[in-house]
């Protein structure tokens, strides 16, 4: 487990490292691209600065030229102003000078006009160059701001990655320390495992010697004491009566009772669903009270009217199955004969569903063709058609699996014992599928009912019927969900308990052998009751024998008292008269009669002893001998009865001993199997120890190699981070300087 956790941690760390490395590559590429962009922008900025400087120089030269021209114009204007009065004064002096000044004025005017136009053109160029320079400067400033923000973002990313790398480095170092500690603990565990294997080998030797001795002893006892082997022939093993598990039977009856309640709820919901569907056909899309419904719906209504004859038997079949599970039976698939009748009833109901399915689909199509049907209602009807098909298919699937479960009680070759669990699992899946289909039907029918209630022609009868159908569908959905969850919760118990028979046999018991087994179980129960009665009668006999012995002792004491009294009376009669002798003899006869009655109650035949005073010594001696033999006969009969009771007790004890010997044989087989399993486990443990030792050594070597590689990668990452830091710092400084 530790190696698996280490490998999982290494894989996670490797994945994180690969992700970080990929992100690092992407960031490197982004930084390089930004550096190239910044270099290009630097070149552009240099070129713009040069052009700006040229334009500024031209502007300065133009302004200087413009100033010169302005000064010259002023000078010319001054000269003109001075020349005009002179011209007025010297106008008369000559026409030649006026003509000369006029020509010079025209030349100056042309030159001035050209200079003015050139100045205007230069002003326009300067204005355009200034605007272009401002625009380029604004663009460059905005670009510079974006680049500074991007550089700050990249710097933040680099800082985050640096922190993350440092955290991963610290984490990897901590993991390295933990792995080293774990490697040390694993080495200690390996040493402990070696010591444990040595101890296990010693225990194995002692256990082997002990088991071999016990096996020899058991074999000798079995060979000497066991008269027969009841499990020799595997084909007769299924006839053995299993141990009665009252708790299992009570649980199975409780489960059957819950299943009966769920089936009753489903039957009620199905009856309501079919009945309210029949009522709906009579009122929509055509109300039978106003107009005649279509022949298709008439036939469909006729079939739906027969639903009770198909649905009610489901409840009856489940009730019979519940009644067949009692405390005295053995509830397995081979003995649940009533499951076959329930399967037949379910088959008849599925035939009913198949019969009404085409009419149901045609009835929904007829509703879609009606003028009252909207597009949304038509879509819901199509969905309900698909849902009804799915519902019939789910019932067919469920009936198939239940019919398979009913086969072991009728046809033993129809279903193998190994397929019980898969069939039960499929039954649970089919019940969950039935629940899902009913949820879809409930959803789509509620939408359909909502749309129909909004129609202007919807009557109160239709609304009430739709509500009733919807409530029955909801009840069906709830019942299906309850029975599906109930079956899923008890699925493991069904798989573990619904089978009986020889564990090692390839075949399985037939229904006939299951019936014979149940008869044998009844006979065994009757035999146990008779044994209990015999035990009770033996206890009564022992009590009666004790009472008999008590009364025999009482009779002997009375006899001794009587003899003493007779002797006393005889001695007294010798001294008294004969008249008194007769009265005393009568009294003695009465006393002897009472003693004889007491001995008769004790089942001993003791005659009353006559008075020795009236009888000669010979008769009294004969009476004594007779009484002695009668007492001996009584004693012998009591001993005979005691011997009979002891023989019955010994017979029962012998049967118990034979059963104990059979159990001893089974325990011997179990011990041999345990010894084999123990030897196999020991060999497996030895193999696992060698493999774990090798795997630990391999893992330790791999861990050391991996740690070396991780150290190398960490050093490389640190170098890359340092270079990135230097480059990012240089870029940030350059951006700040710009």
């Amino acid at each position: 487990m530790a190696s698996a956790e280490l490998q999982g941690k290494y894989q996670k760390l490797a994945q994180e490292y690969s992700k970080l490395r990929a992100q690092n590559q992407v960031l490197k590429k982004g930084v390089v691209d930004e550096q190239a962009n910044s270099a290009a922008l630097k070149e552009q900025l240099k070129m713009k600065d040069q052009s700006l400087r040229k334009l500024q120089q031209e502007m300065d030269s133009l302004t200087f030229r413009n100033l010169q021209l302005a000064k010259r114009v002023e000078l010319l204007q001054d000269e003109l102003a001075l020349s005009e009065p002179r011209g007025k004064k010297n106008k008369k002096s000559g026409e030649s000078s006026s003509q000369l000044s006029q020509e010079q004025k025209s030349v100056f005017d042309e030159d001035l006009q050209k200079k003015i136009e050139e100045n205007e053109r230069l002003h326009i160029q300067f204005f355009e160059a200034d605007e272009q320079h401002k625009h380029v400067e604004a663009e460059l400033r905005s670009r510079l701001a974006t680049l500074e923000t991007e550089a700050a973002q990249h710097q933040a990313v680099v800082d985050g990655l640096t922190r993350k790398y440092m955290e991963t480095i610290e984490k990897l170092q901590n993991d390295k320390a933990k792995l080293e500690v774990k490697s040390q603990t694993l080495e200690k565990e390996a040493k402990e495992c070696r010591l444990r294997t040595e101890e296990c080998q010693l225990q194995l030797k002692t256990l082997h010697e002990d088991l071999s001795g016990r096996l020899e002893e058991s074999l000798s006892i079995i060979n000497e004491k066991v008269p027969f082997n009841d499990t020799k022939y595997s084909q007769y093993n299924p006839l053995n009566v299993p141990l009665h598990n009252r708790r299992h039977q009570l649980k199975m009856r409780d489960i059957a009772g819950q299943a009966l309640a769920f089936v009753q709820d489903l039957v009620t919901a199905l009856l309501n669903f079919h009945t309210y569907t029949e009522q709906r056909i009579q009122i929509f899309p055509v109300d039978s009270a106003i107009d005649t419904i279509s022949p298709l719906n008439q036939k469909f209504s006729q079939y739906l009217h027969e639903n009770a004859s198909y649905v009610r038997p489901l409840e009856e079949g489940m009730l019979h199955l519940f009644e067949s599970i009692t405390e005295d039976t053995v509830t397995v698939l081979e003995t649940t004969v009533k499951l076959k009748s329930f399967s037949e009833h379910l088959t008849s109901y599925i035939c009913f569903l198949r019969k009404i399915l085409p009419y149901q689909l045609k009835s929904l199509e007829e509703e879609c063709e009606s003028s009252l049907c909207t597009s949304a209602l038509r879509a819901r009807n199509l969905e309900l058609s698909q849902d009804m098909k799915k519902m019939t298919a789910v019932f067919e699937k469920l009936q198939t699996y239940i019919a398979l479960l009913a086969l072991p009680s009728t046809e033993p070759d129809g279903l193998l014992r190994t397929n019980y669990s898969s069939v039960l699992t499929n039954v649970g899946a089919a019940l969950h599928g039935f629940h899902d289909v009913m949820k879809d039907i409930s959803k789509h029918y509620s939408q359909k009912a909502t749309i129909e209630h909004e129609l202007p022609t919807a009557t109160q009868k239709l609304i009430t019927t739709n509500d009733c159908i919807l409530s029955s569908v909801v009840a069906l959905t709830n019942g299906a969900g309850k029975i599906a969850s109930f079956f899923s919760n008890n699925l493991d118990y069904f798989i573990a308990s619904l089978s009986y028979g020889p564990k090692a046999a390839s075949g399985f018991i037939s229904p006939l052998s299951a019936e014979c087994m149940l008869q044998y179980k009844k006979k065994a129960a009757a035999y146990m009751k008779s044994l209990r009665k015999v035990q009770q009668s033996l206890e009564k006999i022992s009590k009666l024998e004790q009472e008999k012995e008590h009364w025999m002792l009482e009779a002997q004491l009375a006899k001794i008292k009587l003899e003493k009294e007779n002797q006393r009376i005889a001695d007294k009669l010798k001294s008294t008269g004969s008249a008194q002798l007769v009265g005393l003899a009568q009294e003695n006869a009465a006393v002897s009669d009472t003693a004889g009655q007491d001995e008769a109650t004790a089942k001993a035949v003791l005659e009353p002893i006559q008075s020795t005073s009236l009888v000669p010594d010979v008769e009294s001696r004969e009476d004594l001998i007779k009484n002695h033999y009668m007492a001996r006969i009584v004693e012998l009969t009591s001993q005979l009865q005691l011997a009979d009771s002891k023989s019955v007790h010994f017979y029962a004890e012998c049967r118990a001993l034979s059963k104990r010997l059979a159990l001893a044989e089974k325990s011997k087989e179990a011990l041999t199997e345990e010894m084999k399993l123990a030897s196999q486990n020991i060999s497996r443990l030895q193999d696992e120890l060698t493999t774990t030792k090798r795997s630990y050594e391999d893992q330790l070597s791999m861990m050391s190699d991996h740690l070396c590689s991780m150290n190398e990668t960490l050093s490389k990452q640190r170098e890359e981070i340092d270079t990135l830091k230097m480059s990012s710092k240089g870029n940030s400084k350059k951006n700040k300087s710009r």
Side-chain angles (χ1 to χ4, degrees):
M1 292 293 291
S3 62
E5 290 178 359
L6 289 174
Q7 289 178 0
K9 284 186 177 179
Y10 277 127
Q11 289 177 359
K12 288 181 180 178
L13 289 173
Q15 290 176 0
E16 290 180 359
Y17 175 69
S18 61
K19 288 180 181 178
L20 291 172
R21 194 168 182 179
Q23 291 177 0
N24 193 7
Q25 294 293 332
V26 173
L27 288 172
K28 279 183 180 180
K29 188 176 179 181
V31 170
V32 171
D33 293 337
E34 290 299 327
Q35 288 177 355
N37 290 328
S38 63
L41 289 172
K42 285 178 183 178
E43 293 296 329
Q44 290 181 4
L45 187 60
K46 286 180 181 179
M47 293 174 68
K48 295 294 182 181
D49 288 334
Q50 290 176 0
S51 61
L52 182 62
R53 286 171 186 171
K54 288 179 181 179
L55 290 172
Q56 200 166 5
Q57 289 175 359
E58 290 179 357
M59 185 69 183
D60 293 336
S61 62
L62 287 173
T63 52
F64 179 73
R65 183 67 176 168
N66 193 9
L67 290 172
Q68 287 181 350
L69 291 173
K71 288 179 180 180
R72 189 175 179 182
V73 168
E74 288 178 357
L75 290 172
L76 290 172
Q77 286 178 354
D78 292 337
E79 290 178 357
L80 181 62
L82 291 172
S83 63
E84 283 181 356
R86 288 178 183 178
K88 289 180 180 179
K89 291 178 179 179
N90 298 323
K91 191 174 183 182
K92 298 178 179 179
S93 62
E95 293 178 356
S96 60
S97 59
S98 62
Q99 290 177 356
L100 181 62
S101 61
Q102 189 71 28
E103 290 177 358
Q104 289 177 355
K105 186 178 180 180
S106 62
V107 171
F108 285 142
D109 289 336
E110 288 177 1
D111 191 8
L112 181 61
Q113 186 67 30
K114 289 180 182 179
K115 296 295 182 181
I116 290 169
E117 290 177 358
E118 185 178 0
N119 193 8
E120 186 178 1
R121 181 175 57 80
L122 290 173
H123 273 291
I124 292 169
Q125 288 180 358
F126 177 76
F127 179 76
E128 290 178 354
D130 191 12
E131 291 294 328
Q132 187 176 3
H133 175 265
K134 289 180 180 179
H135 181 68
V136 170
E137 186 179 2
E139 286 183 355
L140 290 174
R141 288 183 184 280
S142 63
R143 186 72 180 276
L144 183 61
T146 54
L147 288 173
E148 286 178 353
T149 55
E150 288 178 359
Q153 290 175 359
H154 287 303
Q155 185 64 32
V157 171
V158 170
D159 294 336
L161 288 174
T162 305
R163 288 194 298 272
K164 195 170 183 181
Y165 284 144
M166 295 301 293
E167 290 175 357
T168 53
I169 288 166
E170 292 178 358
K171 188 177 179 182
L172 289 172
Q173 288 177 353
N174 294 328
D175 291 338
K176 181 182 177 181
K178 290 179 182 178
L179 290 173
E180 289 177 354
V181 174
K182 282 188 178 180
S183 64
Q184 293 176 0
T185 55
L186 288 172
E187 288 177 356
K188 291 180 181 179
E189 288 178 359
K191 292 179 181 179
E192 291 177 357
C193 287
R194 292 192 194 96
L195 295 174
R196 286 179 185 175
T197 51
E198 293 176 357
E199 292 177 359
C200 288
Q201 287 177 355
L202 294 175
Q203 290 179 1
L204 176 63
K205 289 180 181 179
T206 55
L207 183 63
H208 182 70
E209 293 174 357
D210 187 15
L211 288 175
S212 60
R214 291 171 65 182
L215 180 62
E216 290 176 358
E217 184 180 358
S218 300
L219 288 173
S220 62
I221 292 171
I222 289 166
N223 292 326
E224 292 175 1
K225 302 295 183 180
V226 177
F228 65 93
N229 185 8
D230 194 23
T231 61
K232 183 177 181 181
Y233 300 103
S234 60
Q235 61 268 25
Y236 300 128
N237 286 336
L239 298 176
N240 294 332
V241 178
L243 295 174
H244 182 66
N245 192 349
R246 183 172 178 271
R247 185 180 297 174
H248 166 68
Q249 288 301 120
L250 292 176
K251 185 173 177 60
M252 289 303 297
R253 185 169 177 81
D254 183 28
I255 289 172
Q258 295 179 20
L260 175 62
F262 291 140
V263 170
Q264 287 175 348
D265 294 339
L266 283 177
V267 166
T268 304
L270 286 171
L271 287 172
N272 292 333
F273 177 68
H274 293 311
T275 304
Y276 291 134
T277 304
E278 180 188 358
Q279 292 180 7
R280 175 186 163 81
I281 291 168
Q282 298 292 332
I283 60 175
F284 190 81
V286 178
D287 193 352
S288 60
I290 300 173
D291 197 358
T292 305
I293 62 176
S294 64
L296 175 69
N297 285 333
Q298 289 179 3
K299 197 71 175 178
F300 186 29
S301 176
Q302 180 182 354
Y303 286 151
L304 286 174
H305 193 69
E306 302 171 356
N307 69 88
S309 61
Y310 296 99
V311 179
R312 289 289 183 191
L314 294 174
E315 182 180 358
E316 296 175 359
M318 197 65 200
L319 180 61
H320 293 159
L321 179 61
F322 170 71
E323 291 174 350
S324 65
I325 299 173
T326 61
E327 185 180 347
D328 300 330
T329 59
V330 178
T331 304
V332 291
L333 288 177
E334 289 76 18
T335 58
T336 53
V337 183
K338 298 297 182 180
L339 187 60
K340 179 67 175 176
S341 61
F342 179 76
S343 175
E344 292 174 353
H345 295 321
L346 185 59
T347 304
S348 64
Y349 177 67
I350 289 168
C351 293
F352 170 71
L353 289 179
R354 289 174 183 166
K355 183 170 65 175
I356 67 172
L357 180 62
Y359 294 96
Q360 198 164 14
L361 298 178
K362 290 292 184 182
S363 178
L364 290 172
E365 290 179 0
E366 187 174 336
E367 287 185 12
C368 292
E369 293 174 357
S370 175
S371 60
L372 302 175
C373 185
T374 61
S375 59
L377 187 59
R378 190 176 294 106
R380 299 291 85 77
N381 288 333
L382 293 176
E383 289 173 351
L384 281 175
S385 300
Q386 298 297 325
D387 293 338
M388 292 302 171
K389 292 178 183 178
K390 291 178 183 178
M391 178 180 172
T392 306
V394 166
F395 267 107
E396 289 175 352
K397 186 186 292 185
L398 186 62
Q399 189 273 334
T400 302
Y401 293 127
I402 292 176
L404 287 174
L405 290 177
L407 285 177
S409 61
T410 55
E411 298 177 5
D413 298 331
L415 183 64
L416 297 176
R417 182 181 181 182
T418 55
N419 295 329
Y420 283 5
S421 61
S422 61
V423 174
L424 289 168
T425 305
N426 289 326
V427 170
L431 289 172
H432 282 290
F434 175 51
H435 182 218
D436 294 337
V437 170
M438 291 312 303
K439 285 195 292 186
D440 292 338
I441 291 176
S442 176
K443 175 184 175 183
H444 296 151
Y445 205 92
S446 63
Q447 295 174 355
K448 173 182 170 65
T450 303
I451 295 170
E452 288 181 351
H453 293 175
E454 294 175 356
L455 293 175
T457 57
T459 60
Q460 186 62 36
K461 189 187 295 184
L462 176 62
I463 294 172
T464 305
T465 306
N466 284 338
D467 292 338
C468 293
I469 293 174
L470 190 58
S471 63
S472 63
V473 170
V474 170
L476 268 176
T477 306
N478 294 331
K482 289 179 181 178
I483 198 168
S485 60
F486 159 76
F487 195 86
S488 298
N489 293 333
N490 295 292
L491 181 59
D492 295 334
Y493 182 75
F494 290 153
I495 293 172
S497 62
L498 286 181
S499 61
Y500 162 72
K503 301 294 182 183
S506 60
F508 199 56
I509 62 175
S510 63
L512 183 61
S513 60
E515 186 177 357
C516 293
M517 182 269 293
L518 292 176
Q519 292 178 1
Y520 292 155
K521 189 177 186 302
K522 292 179 181 178
K523 290 180 181 179
Y527 178 69
M528 294 300 293
K529 288 181 181 178
S530 63
L531 285 179
R532 197 177 293 111
K533 289 181 180 178
V534 170
Q535 185 69 24
Q536 292 174 358
S537 62
L538 288 173
E539 291 176 357
K540 288 181 181 179
I541 289 169
S542 64
K543 289 181 181 179
L544 289 173
E545 286 176 353
Q546 292 175 1
E547 291 178 358
K548 182 190 75 173
E549 290 176 358
H550 172 71
W551 289 112
M552 284 177 68
L553 292 172
E554 292 289 337
Q556 289 178 1
L557 291 173
K559 180 181 175 182
I560 293 169
K561 289 180 181 179
L562 182 61
E563 288 177 355
K564 289 180 179 180
E565 188 69 24
N566 286 332
Q567 185 68 31
R568 187 180 64 79
I569 291 170
D571 294 336
K572 191 175 181 180
L573 284 174
K574 288 179 181 180
S575 61
T576 60
S578 59
Q580 293 175 355
L581 180 63
V582 174
L584 291 171
Q586 290 176 357
E587 290 177 1
N588 290 331
V591 172
S592 63
D593 289 335
T594 58
Q597 290 175 1
D598 293 334
E599 290 176 355
T601 59
K603 296 182 181 180
V605 185
L606 294 174
E607 294 181 354
I609 302 173
Q610 296 179 356
S611 177
T612 57
S613 63
L614 297 175
V615 183
D617 294 336
V618 178
E619 291 180 356
S620 63
R621 194 181 299 113
E622 288 179 355
D623 291 335
L624 290 172
I625 293 168
K626 183 178 179 182
N627 292 330
H628 173 71
Y629 280 113
M630 291 301 293
R632 183 64 178 165
I633 288 168
V634 170
E635 185 179 359
L636 289 172
T637 53
S638 64
Q639 290 179 359
L640 181 62
Q641 291 176 354
L642 183 62
D644 290 336
S645 63
K646 286 183 178 180
S647 64
V648 172
H649 178 69
F650 288 151
Y651 175 72
E653 190 172 356
C654 289
R655 286 184 62 83
L657 286 172
S658 65
K659 291 181 179 179
R660 288 177 65 185
L661 286 172
L663 293 173
E665 185 181 2
K666 291 181 180 179
S667 65
K668 181 201 73 172
E669 294 176 356
L671 286 172
T672 54
E673 292 292 332
E674 287 178 0
M675 191 171 72
K676 290 179 182 178
L677 289 173
S679 61
Q680 291 176 1
N681 288 329
I682 288 167
S683 61
R684 182 174 57 79
L685 287 171
Q686 290 177 352
D687 296 334
E688 286 181 357
L689 180 62
T690 55
T691 53
T692 51
K693 182 179 177 182
R694 291 175 183 173
S695 64
Y696 285 152
E697 292 175 355
D698 295 336
Q699 285 177 4
L700 288 173
S701 62
M702 289 173 66
M703 284 164 61
S704 62
D705 296 335
H706 189 67
L707 288 172
C708 293
S709 63
M710 286 173 68
N711 288 325
E712 292 176 358
T713 53
L714 287 172
S715 61
K716 291 180 180 178
Q717 284 183 358
R718 285 176 181 172
E719 292 176 357
E720 291 176 356
I721 289 167
D722 293 334
T723 54
L724 285 172
K725 282 182 177 178
M726 295 297 291
S727 62
S728 62
K729 286 180 181 178
N731 291 327
S732 62
K733 288 180 179 178
K734 290 178 180 178
N735 291 325
K736 287 178 181 178
S737 63
R738 287 173 191 170

